[in-house]
Amino acid sequence: MAISNTQTPSAPANRDALLSELAAALDAAGLQTGDDIETRFRKDWYAPLDPEPPIAVARPRNTAEVSAVLAICHRHRQAVVPQGGLTGLAGAATPAGGELVLSLERMRGVEEIDDQAGTMTVMAGTTLQAAQEAARAAHWLLPVDLGARGSCQIGGNIATNAGGNRVIRYGMMRDQVLGLEAVLADGTVLTSLNKMLKNNAGYDLRQLFIGSEGTLGVITRAVLKLAPLPASTQTALCALSRYEDVVQLLRHAQRKLAGRLSAFEVMWADFYELVTTRVSGVRAPLPAGHPFYVLLDLQGDDAGQDGPVFESMLETAMEAGLIQDAAVATSDKEAQRFWQLRDAVAEFPVMWAPNAAFDVSLPIGRIGEFAQALRAAVLDRWSEAELVNFGHVGDSNLHVSVYLPNVALPDFPEHEISEVVYRVVQEFGGSISAEHGIGTHKKPFLGCSRTPEELAVMRLLKRTLDPHHILCPGRVVDLE
Amino acid sequence: MAISNTQTPSAPANRDALLSELAAALDAAGLQTGDDIETRFRKDWYAPLDPEPPIAVARPRNTAEVSAVLAICHRHRQAVVPQGGLTGLAGAATPAGGELVLSLERMRGVEEIDDQAGTMTVMAGTTLQAAQEAARAAHWLLPVDLGARGSCQIGGNIATNAGGNRVIRYGMMRDQVLGLEAVLADGTVLTSLNKMLKNNAGYDLRQLFIGSEGTLGVITRAVLKLAPLPASTQTALCALSRYEDVVQLLRHAQRKLAGRLSAFEVMWADFYELVTTRVSGVRAPLPAGHPFYVLLDLQGDDAGQDGPVFESMLETAMEAGLIQDAAVATSDKEAQRFWQLRDAVAEFPVMWAPNAAFDVSLPIGRIGEFAQALRAAVLDRWSEAELVNFGHVGDSNLHVSVYLPNVALPDFPEHEISEVVYRVVQEFGGSISAEHGIGTHKKPFLGCSRTPEELAVMRLLKRTLDPHHILCPGRVVDLE
């Protein structure tokens, strides 16, 4: 699918003037134009390459340079696409031909860890992993974690409100952001590097930039909340026979582990069979054939106290008939083996290509029924289709992958599969994006999860904060 | 201080037409006018009564009626002040003469508790206590809690982003709101009764209405996240000699109690002495004379497991020299006695009147130094002043009360005291409102905590969402 981008502002009247103003505002390494533009800036993880190159790549070193670049582009009506680590799955950071790439990659580094406040002040271009490691070195936990940690950047994590495996305990990226610095489309710098957990002094402007995928402003710095570093982890894999039992186990574990349940990942039988038989190096800790598998973690301070609590929770669940079988990891290495099951999704794009991958959310009680309805709807249309279901069910988040054997990429009907999936999502009152965002990829389906009145207010906000529509035009929400 | 409200839209050209349209849109009990207006609608907890009455009080029964009232007022340019339980401390809900009161009090009730999703759907006029009790009856916890629970309403709790004593574990009201229904100034209804913990489908419009004190829309319904109901509570009161030790104890308790620290309240010596000697019925569990007292709770699932963890945490803190003395509550009744110390603040307005009460937040590490600087600044101006400091220090929130002996109300220099306090807050990079909001009371000082660029964006949002400026004019932020 090509980027449908009818809303790009028309090319600036004076391209040479634009480029020379940008060159004057940046250092020599700060601007790439023409044949000097590196290919890596031309697409993110999801989106197909636009055959037309961007007009330039700006690589500012600090907030003042970001502000200068945006002020120039605002004046010239030049479309701008901010870029973090380019690991997004919805296409928001892939430049259409003629757009300006604004890469934050040179703005990296942890400016401060305030050990008393329990906060980290970090530049937007810092990778998630670098920020996690800096926190850990200071005996703190930066809890948001996801597979792309080595490449994705804090600014992108905030702009897309990233989720991951620890949301059930710590919340999403939105919940980690105490303070934010962002630059508006016209170059205005909004600096609010707040370190307080409570601050009700006027409107909470941070929220405009968290999860809006770069369409309302460019994030340059943030103050993140840190959590105490857990000293012990208990991990188990359980087999269950009914989705109702999955939900009951979730509530049982939340009660019994009292604040320490740190992951609750569910794999349907289809997923478990696929990864244990087809992904090399993945072993099955429990026999296949159970309808559901739950991978869950307790993170606490003391294995001597936590181990018995964890095992008692599993025993009472087994006595109540919620769990059919269970394996408790007896070492960190074994826990990592359990997690390999879940992390095997990273192999899907290679071993099961092409497939259509979905990131939806639904009320927790309805996910089991939804998965059945979705399978029926997909098979009704493509009888040869294969589906797998897995996800952060404790956070109401389901991932679904749909594969059509013997269909090669050019003929793969991704849009048609999306239509079927999102129709069922809409019937169940769900969201078409739990954690990946909308970008260009899911924009045609936004109306499945939001009302016309909500879409109208989104457009109103976009027009208000970016009147010339230069920031990420054509992403998230259309103006008409 | 009278309400400075120069921005009220001019009186509608046709008052009779306005009132007859409102009467047609509401039932007989839905509209009070003239002498029928009950006095209770004319002021909230904080603000002084306006000598001029409101033009009317509208009491809609449902969202459609709220929408009709707002559409009529929008057309007539009639100022509207939404009201919850009128327990606000910043004056936002007190109507100026000629404004229309929009009371949500008839829209009460819990519509649904979804036991599988772990959510409650509730109408805005439901009292916090009624919602808490409904959650508890279904074996869930609605964790936000504050002294006004019996009167304050869920809609007001959301509109002011209420805090309270459990923020350290569960977050503020903002963190409980999964779904929201709000009505815009022109009557447009935005309904997003989302039950999912993750939803990145477009802009997060909930955030516009949470904490904006009714100036951007009227909240009519919400979906709240519920937490597992704890089965056991451990409570201790500790005496400490230095503020640095208070911060260290906070971090020590967070680590050792791993997700179960549920309150961390700090009382300075001045506060402890005042409440143990002057408030009837309050006994001192520890001797006076220590510089700091910390009241802390663990909430968990099993007293048999939690008790030893709690005591071990206190013992290691004592061995490390962080704690000078400690008392652990041995019964629920004793725990309640400990909490009476903290709850004695409810007596201040009576026993220590008039006093100026502040609700500020600061980076946690700087609160000790701030309290000293503030005392010096106040005594420098009023050498006879008495101050007490206490607060939710684990959430970076400090409450300060300033009392001037022998000064009667008409002469009490509240505005001048505020100037001194907020100047010191600004010097320390703090916020003039941690949890009470801005309303009319703190509006003159908003610039102490927010930059001119931030204030400009607040005004821009206000103008965009309420172009005729009918919602709570003159509250939170001025348009010029």
Side-chain angles (χ1 to χ4, degrees):
Chain A
M1 182 174 62
I3 300 174
S4 157
N5 192 351
T6 55
Q7 298 169 343
T8 309
S10 49
N14 193 334
R15 176 193 171 102
D16 293 342
L18 170 79
L19 293 179
S20 78
E21 285 178 46
L22 289 170
L26 297 162
D27 70 341
L31 192 65
Q32 297 182 0
T33 56
D35 293 342
D36 291 339
I37 293 173
E38 295 173 67
T39 310
R40 65 190 177 98
F41 294 113
R42 292 185 56 189
K43 77 183 276 307
D44 65 12
W45 181 266
Y46 160 72
L49 191 75
D50 194 297
E52 293 296 316
I55 187 171
V57 175
R59 297 166 67 235
R61 291 167 297 180
N62 52 48
T63 303
E65 289 185 355
V66 172
S67 170
V69 167
L70 286 171
I72 292 166
C73 291
H74 186 72
R75 209 161 51 239
H76 284 275
R77 312 290 190 260
Q78 168 62 46
V80 178
V81 181
Q83 282 186 354
L86 290 166
T87 62
L89 296 168
T94 292
E99 292 183 338
L100 180 100
V101 168
L102 175 57
S103 169
L104 280 295
E105 67 180 3
R106 293 171 81 199
M107 292 176 58
R108 57 175 65 201
V110 173
E111 295 188 340
E112 184 199 25
I113 291 180
D114 183 333
D115 202 52
Q116 297 214 298
T119 60
M120 163 185 281
T121 306
V122 61
M123 284 192 280
T126 312
T127 65
L128 175 59
Q129 187 171 330
Q132 288 172 331
E133 286 170 0
R136 185 172 290 266
H139 306 290
W140 288 97
L141 176 72
L142 178 60
V144 166
D145 190 33
L146 50 148
R149 67 184 72 79
S151 305
C152 65
Q153 296 172 9
I154 294 292
N157 296 151
I158 297 172
T160 58
N161 187 27
N165 292 333
R166 302 291 175 202
V167 172
I168 193 168
R169 176 153 175 190
Y170 297 102
M172 298 187 67
M173 199 67 186
R174 185 183 302 280
D175 303 297
Q176 322 306 320
V177 179
L178 295 178
L180 201 66
E181 182 179 76
V183 185
L184 299 181
D186 67 358
T188 300
V189 179
L190 287 185
T191 302
S192 178
L193 295 175
N194 166 70
K195 290 182 176 180
M196 285 83 77
L197 296 167
K198 285 180 172 176
N199 188 345
N200 274 349
Y203 303 166
D204 188 348
L205 302 178
R206 293 173 298 189
Q207 310 294 346
L208 290 169
F209 308 103
I210 302 171
S212 56
E213 302 181 46
T215 60
L216 300 181
V218 179
I219 292 161
T220 48
R221 281 193 293 174
V223 180
L224 303 178
K225 183 168 67 176
L226 300 174
L229 191 62
S232 99
T233 301
Q234 316 287 325
T235 301
L237 182 72
C238 306
L240 297 88
S241 53
R242 303 182 312 162
Y243 184 76
E244 294 71 30
D245 296 340
V246 171
V247 178
Q248 288 227 34
L249 177 64
L250 168 65
R251 300 312 177 195
H252 173 75
Q254 284 183 314
R255 262 163 234 263
K256 292 294 169 190
L257 305 188
R260 287 163 291 177
L261 179 66
S262 303
F264 192 91
E265 298 293 310
V266 181
M267 297 167 268
W268 272 245
D270 45 35
F271 178 93
Y272 192 78
E273 173 155 353
L274 183 76
V275 300
T276 55
T277 59
R278 304 261 300 270
V279 180
S280 69
V282 172
R283 278 177 288 174
L286 293 176
H290 292 283
F292 298 94
Y293 296 83
V294 172
L295 178 65
L296 75 175
D297 273 1
L298 173 162
Q299 291 191 330
D301 185 67
D302 185 334
Q305 288 161 353
D306 298 335
V309 172
F310 193 62
E311 279 162 32
S312 156
M313 180 276 291
L314 292 172
E315 278 163 21
T316 47
M318 202 166 272
E319 284 161 15
L322 297 180
I323 299 179
Q324 302 307 313
D325 199 355
V328 178
T330 55
S331 65
D332 286 354
K333 200 172 163 188
E334 196 172 8
Q336 281 168 20
R337 281 212 299 118
F338 289 10
W339 273 94
Q340 277 177 6
L341 291 163
R342 178 62 180 79
D343 294 340
V345 295
E347 304 296 323
F348 283 17
V350 179
M351 62 175 265
W352 221 36
N355 75 73
F358 300 93
D359 156 56
V360 302
S361 65
L362 300 129
I364 289 174
R366 305 201 71 192
I367 293 180
E369 192 190 341
F370 168 82
Q372 288 177 341
L374 182 65
R375 174 175 295 279
V378 170
L379 292 179
D380 185 55
R381 177 78 179 270
W382 297 277
S383 59
E384 74 285 16
E386 296 178 22
L387 284 86
V388 295
N389 294 282
F390 59 102
H392 319 292
V393 168
D395 313 321
S396 52
N397 184 184
L398 182 72
H399 294 299
V400 182
S401 289
V402 179
Y403 173 64
L404 298 182
N406 312 318
V407 177
L409 192 53
D411 301 322
F412 188 72
E414 179 167 358
H415 192 80
E416 290 70 23
I417 298 172
S418 299
E419 286 176 334
V420 172
V421 171
Y422 294 139
R423 193 192 68 226
V424 185
V425 168
Q426 187 168 17
E427 284 167 13
F428 277 75
S431 168
I432 64 163
S433 178
E435 57 182 9
H436 295 171
I438 298 300
T440 53
H441 188 191
K442 298 178 200 162
K443 192 181 63 170
F445 303 102
L446 189 56
C448 296
S449 295
R450 307 299 294 261
T451 65
E453 292 80 10
E454 289 182 289
L455 296 175
V457 174
M458 290 184 208
R459 286 186 197 107
L460 188 61
L461 288 175
K462 173 67 178 166
R463 282 197 204 97
T464 301
L465 288 168
D466 180 14
H468 300 319
H469 201 217
I470 66 163
L471 280 174
C472 298
R475 278 75 167 180
V476 185
V477 62
D478 280 322
L479 283 196
E480 282 95 41
Chain B
M1 183 171 63
I3 300 174
S4 158
N5 192 350
T6 55
Q7 299 169 341
T8 308
S10 49
N14 192 335
R15 177 193 171 104
D16 293 343
L18 169 78
L19 293 179
S20 78
E21 286 178 45
L22 289 170
L26 297 162
D27 70 342
L31 193 65
Q32 298 182 358
T33 58
D35 293 342
D36 291 339
I37 294 173
E38 295 173 66
T39 310
R40 65 191 177 98
F41 294 113
R42 294 186 54 188
K43 77 182 278 306
D44 64 12
W45 182 266
Y46 160 72
L49 191 76
D50 194 298
E52 292 295 317
I55 188 171
V57 175
R59 297 166 67 235
R61 292 167 296 179
N62 52 48
T63 303
E65 289 186 356
V66 172
S67 170
V69 168
L70 286 171
I72 292 166
C73 291
H74 185 72
R75 209 161 52 238
H76 284 275
R77 312 291 190 259
Q78 168 62 46
V80 178
V81 181
Q83 283 186 354
L86 291 166
T87 62
L89 296 169
T94 292
E99 293 183 337
L100 180 101
V101 168
L102 175 57
S103 169
L104 280 294
E105 68 179 4
R106 292 173 82 198
M107 292 176 59
R108 57 175 66 202
V110 173
E111 294 188 339
E112 183 199 27
I113 291 179
D114 183 333
D115 202 51
Q116 297 213 299
T119 60
M120 163 185 280
T121 306
V122 62
M123 284 191 281
T126 311
T127 64
L128 175 59
Q129 186 170 331
Q132 287 171 333
E133 286 171 0
R136 184 172 291 265
H139 306 289
W140 288 98
L141 177 72
L142 177 60
V144 166
D145 190 33
L146 51 148
R149 67 184 72 79
S151 305
C152 66
Q153 296 172 8
I154 294 292
N157 296 151
I158 298 172
T160 58
N161 188 26
N165 292 334
R166 303 292 175 201
V167 171
I168 193 167
R169 176 153 175 190
Y170 298 102
M172 298 187 65
M173 199 67 187
R174 185 182 301 280
D175 303 296
Q176 322 306 321
V177 178
L178 295 178
L180 201 66
E181 182 178 78
V183 185
L184 299 180
D186 67 358
T188 299
V189 179
L190 287 186
T191 302
S192 178
L193 296 175
N194 167 70
K195 289 182 177 180
M196 286 82 77
L197 296 168
K198 286 181 172 176
N199 188 345
N200 274 349
Y203 303 165
D204 188 349
L205 302 177
R206 293 173 298 189
Q207 310 294 345
L208 290 169
F209 308 104
I210 301 172
S212 56
E213 303 181 47
T215 60
L216 300 180
V218 178
I219 293 162
T220 47
R221 282 194 291 174
V223 180
L224 303 177
K225 183 168 67 175
L226 301 174
L229 192 62
S232 98
T233 300
Q234 315 287 324
T235 301
L237 181 72
C238 305
L240 298 89
S241 53
R242 304 182 312 161
Y243 184 76
E244 295 72 31
D245 296 340
V246 171
V247 179
Q248 288 227 37
L249 177 63
L250 168 65
R251 300 313 175 194
H252 173 75
Q254 284 182 314
R255 264 163 234 262
K256 293 293 170 191
L257 305 188
R260 288 164 290 176
L261 179 65
S262 303
F264 192 92
E265 298 292 311
V266 181
M267 295 167 268
W268 273 246
D270 45 35
F271 179 93
Y272 192 79
E273 172 156 353
L274 184 76
V275 300
T276 55
T277 59
R278 304 262 299 270
V279 180
S280 69
V282 172
R283 277 177 288 174
L286 294 176
H290 292 282
F292 298 95
Y293 296 83
V294 173
L295 178 64
L296 76 176
D297 273 1
L298 173 162
Q299 292 191 329
D301 185 66
D302 184 334
Q305 288 161 352
D306 298 334
V309 171
F310 192 64
E311 280 164 31
S312 156
M313 180 277 291
L314 292 171
E315 279 162 22
T316 48
M318 202 166 273
E319 284 160 15
L322 297 180
I323 300 179
Q324 301 307 313
D325 199 357
V328 178
T330 55
S331 65
D332 286 353
K333 200 171 163 190
E334 195 171 8
Q336 281 168 21
R337 279 211 299 119
F338 288 10
W339 273 95
Q340 277 177 5
L341 291 164
R342 178 60 181 80
D343 294 340
V345 296
E347 304 296 322
F348 283 17
V350 179
M351 62 175 263
W352 222 37
N355 76 73
F358 299 93
D359 156 54
V360 301
S361 65
L362 300 130
I364 289 173
R366 305 201 70 192
I367 294 180
E369 192 189 342
F370 168 82
Q372 288 177 342
L374 182 65
R375 175 175 294 277
V378 170
L379 292 179
D380 185 56
R381 178 79 180 268
W382 297 277
S383 60
E384 75 285 15
E386 296 177 24
L387 284 84
V388 294
N389 293 282
F390 60 101
H392 320 292
V393 168
D395 313 321
S396 51
N397 184 183
L398 182 72
H399 294 299
V400 182
S401 288
V402 179
Y403 173 64
L404 299 182
N406 312 318
V407 177
L409 192 53
D411 301 321
F412 188 72
E414 179 167 358
H415 191 81
E416 290 70 27
I417 297 173
S418 298
E419 287 176 334
V420 172
V421 171
Y422 294 139
R423 194 191 68 226
V424 186
V425 168
Q426 186 168 17
E427 286 167 13
F428 277 75
S431 168
I432 65 164
S433 177
E435 57 181 9
H436 295 170
I438 298 299
T440 52
H441 188 191
K442 298 177 200 161
K443 192 181 63 170
F445 303 102
L446 189 55
C448 296
S449 295
R450 306 299 294 261
T451 65
E453 292 80 10
E454 289 182 291
L455 296 175
V457 174
M458 290 184 208
R459 286 186 197 109
L460 187 62
L461 288 175
K462 174 67 178 168
R463 281 196 205 99
T464 300
L465 288 168
D466 180 14
H468 300 321
H469 201 216
I470 66 163
L471 279 174
C472 297
R475 278 75 166 181
V476 185
V477 63
D478 280 322
L479 283 196
E480 282 95 41

